Amino acid sequence: MTASHRQRWAVQTMAVAPDDQLLEVGCGRGAAVSLVADRLTTGRIVAIDRAATMVRLATQRNLSHIDAGRVEIQRAGFESADLPIGHFTKIFAVNVSLFWLGDAAQQITRMRSLLAPGGRLYVFGERPTEAHATANVTATELLLQTHCFTTTTSSATRGRGRVLTCVTGTPIR
């Protein structure tokens, strides 16, 4: 199983460093986890997903990385996952809207608390049209800015007009 263009673009956009400490919210089948783990030496990625099937598939896909200590996969919702405060240099979600996670304000506050000083939050999306992408980016930027993050946005267009977006949030300390 290969990673999608969306996942490859996400990992490239984050410029994963060998020593990064990452958290992926909603890891699905673990394709992005594999791409990230391939770039890590002393770093580590923790990936969470609510669905037992996705956790099983992600674990199977990443067994060698788990054995090497670069990957940990947990079955948990974001609000209940056991995660270390102030630890992650990068937190990301690919096609997981922050608005789907429950109380968005509470989730953003939690993400902020999990970020290490200088850490960043990356919210990736893939939408079928430019209008859908713009609406998603605008809502995500507003949510992050309201919770004391500065934001930057990047995007790319792929086949059939699908638009890839990334809103990067950096906490204002």
Side-chain angles (χ1 to χ4, degrees), residues 7 10-11 14 16-28 30-48 58 62 64-74 83-84 87-94 124:
Q7 292 150 328
V11 172
M14 288 189 295
V16 174
D19 61 345
D20 270 335
Q21 299 294 321
L22 298 99
L23 169 63
E24 182 178 12
V25 179
C27 67
V33 173
S34 296
L35 294 171
V36 166
D38 285 343
R39 295 176 176 225
L40 299 176
T41 53
T42 58
R44 191 161 186 254
I45 179 169
V46 175
I48 61 173
N62 289 287
S64 64
H65 292 307
I66 292 168
D67 290 345
R70 289 186 297 271
V71 171
E72 175 187 340
I73 299 173
Q74 296 181 21
L83 302 166
H87 175 75
F88 297 101
T89 56
K90 294 174 175 136
I91 297 175
F92 71 103
V94 179
F124 293 97

Side-chain angles (χ1 to χ4, degrees), residues 55-169:
V55 168
R56 180 177 50 76
L57 293 171
T59 299
Q60 288 171 348
R61 178 183 216 138
N62 289 287
L63 276 176
S64 64
H65 292 307
I66 292 168
D67 290 345
R70 289 186 297 271
V71 171
E72 175 187 340
I73 299 173
Q74 296 181 21
R75 179 179 178 208
F78 177 69
E79 65 286 341
S80 62
D82 183 18
L83 302 166
I85 302 296
H87 175 75
F88 297 101
T89 56
K90 294 174 175 136
I91 297 175
F92 71 103
V94 179
N95 269 1
V96 176
S97 170
L98 298 176
F99 303 99
W100 299 340
L101 296 175
D103 179 346
Q106 186 178 353
Q107 305 305 357
I108 296 301
T109 299
R110 179 148 199 242
M111 286 180 187
R112 187 184 175 89
S113 75
L114 296 173
L115 284 169
R120 289 199 166 104
L121 170 62
Y122 297 84
V123 183
F124 293 97
E126 182 177 25
R127 300 296 179 261
T129 67
E130 188 68 45
H132 285 106
T134 300
N136 182 262
V137 163
T138 301
T140 303
E141 284 177 324
L142 181 60
L143 178 64
L144 293 179
Q145 291 166 1
T146 300
H147 291 88
C148 298
F149 281 79
T150 59
T151 61
T152 57
T153 302
S154 52
S155 66
T157 303
R158 60 184 221 108
R160 290 172 274 151
R162 295 188 69 80
V163 181
L164 301 172
T165 60
C166 176
V167 176
T168 304

